[in-house]
Amino acid sequence: MADIYPRPSTLTRHNDTYPFIAPSHFTGKLKGKVALITGAGRGIGRATSLALAAAGTSVACLSRTASELETLEAEIKQTSNVPTLFLVRDVLSDPVQIISDIEKRLGPIDILVNNAGSSRFGPLYLEKNIDIWWHVQEVNVKAPMALIHACLPSMMKRGSGKIITLGSAAADNSFPFGTADGASKAALQKAHQCLDIEMRGTGIVFYCIHPGGTSTTTMGRGDGVNMEAMALPEVQRVGMNFAKTALTDTLALAADSIVFLAADERMEVFSGRYLDCCQDMEELLQNKDKILSEQLNMLSIKRL
């Protein structure tokens, strides 16, 4: 079965965490820092919340589901002795109020992890309500950009900040029935490239990352799949292909990569660039000059 979601690379690829990005390298490095993680109740968001807390970060965990936050709170308290805040909110609710509530309890945000996301798989022409398609753009683009907007004034005042937004390989791969995901992730990547240019010299770093494909993807949850369209053989074939070839990575790979990006200043030269967490980060640093000089890891349109 051909891979409809190719991610060609000359660098070593990983499906699980590996020694170079191990959080043990950064013990205490993030102590006193405050991180906001959206979509923290499950999957990558939950794993990242635990990993950042283990690294000494004060964590504000946001989710729409109270029961998921309750179990996350219990687990963090068992494993880490750090200040915490758990907010049952929707990322599309008032972002300024969310940031204000966190700052009152934990202090200014140093690390924003835009993890919450949505998806929609199916042919555009079979959408009976285009609002379902558009909701993906609101969750995947409007919400993270609104939170970035709310965080920037304080980060600019302090001269530092890390923005880590979960993009996707969908940003530069085109495949059928993925218009909602592809459009939203490409928009995120381009926005981070532009933000890096306009915010240079402020001390704020912008990462838009492909975290790997995990079985906890939002595809299949809620309106993630147009179930009526799944009756079509071609839609079934593409969906099965995606599940078998793209959802093969662990939560630890994503979580440890995010801690690595938050803690290791060497990666700041890649601010604004697309980073694939499946690529070996040590080799990425070794190829820094080539990446920068040839404008690699950037979303662009090639012309004659």
Side-chain angles (χ1 to χ4, degrees), residues 216-262:
T216 61
T217 175
T218 54
M219 188 172 290
R221 295 183 183 274
D223 290 322
V225 174
N226 184 335
M227 297 308 297
E228 185 177 339
M230 288 300 290
L232 300 177
E234 179 62 9
V235 179
Q236 288 184 25
R237 184 190 69 81
V238 173
M240 291 297 293
N241 183 301
F242 179 85
K244 290 181 178 179
T245 62
L247 307 181
T248 59
D249 306 312
T250 68
L251 295 175
L253 175 63
D256 288 358
S257 295
I258 291 169
V259 172
F260 172 74
L261 291 173

Side-chain angles (χ1 to χ4, degrees), residues 87-130:
L87 299 170
V88 182
R89 306 278 181 88
D90 188 309
V91 287
L92 289 171
S93 64
D94 189 347
V96 174
Q97 189 61 53
I98 290 172
I99 301 305
S100 176
D101 289 347
I102 295 169
E103 290 182 339
K104 288 175 183 176
R105 289 284 299 276
L106 298 179
I109 294 170
D110 301 289
I111 305 160
L112 171 61
V113 181
N114 283 310
N115 166 71
S118 182
S119 62
R120 180 66 170 173
F121 177 76
L124 184 63
Y125 76 91
L126 287 179
E127 292 291 2
K128 293 181 178 179
N129 183 356
I130 196 64

Side-chain angles (χ1 to χ4, degrees), residues 101-240:
D101 289 347
I102 295 169
E103 290 182 339
K104 288 175 183 176
R105 289 284 299 276
L106 298 179
I109 294 170
D110 301 289
I111 305 160
L112 171 61
V113 181
N114 283 310
N115 166 71
S118 182
S119 62
R120 180 66 170 173
F121 177 76
L124 184 63
Y125 76 91
L126 287 179
E127 292 291 2
K128 293 181 178 179
N129 183 356
I130 196 64
D131 288 345
I132 295 176
W133 188 97
W134 186 248
H135 183 68
V136 176
Q137 314 309 309
E138 291 186 322
V139 176
N140 289 359
V141 183
K142 180 182 177 181
M145 295 306 296
L147 285 171
I148 292 171
H149 175 259
C151 283
L152 283 180
S154 175
M155 289 182 172
M156 292 174 68
K157 185 177 180 179
R158 288 175 286 128
S160 65
K162 296 281 180 73
I163 307 291
I164 305 173
T165 300
L166 272 67
S168 170
D172 74 337
N173 281 283
S174 300
F175 56 93
F177 319 129
T179 57
D181 286 40
S184 64
K185 297 305 185 179
L188 274 181
Q189 176 57 45
K190 197 64 176 179
H192 282 62
Q193 290 178 197
C194 293
L195 276 169
D196 173 65
I197 296 170
E198 70 182 66
M199 300 298 290
R200 281 179 189 167
T202 64
I204 305 171
V205 180
F206 300 89
Y207 297 120
C208 193
I209 67 172
H210 172 69
T214 73
S215 59
T216 61
T217 175
T218 54
M219 188 172 290
R221 295 183 183 274
D223 290 322
V225 174
N226 184 335
M227 297 308 297
E228 185 177 339
M230 288 300 290
L232 300 177
E234 179 62 9
V235 179
Q236 288 184 25
R237 184 190 69 81
V238 173
M240 291 297 293

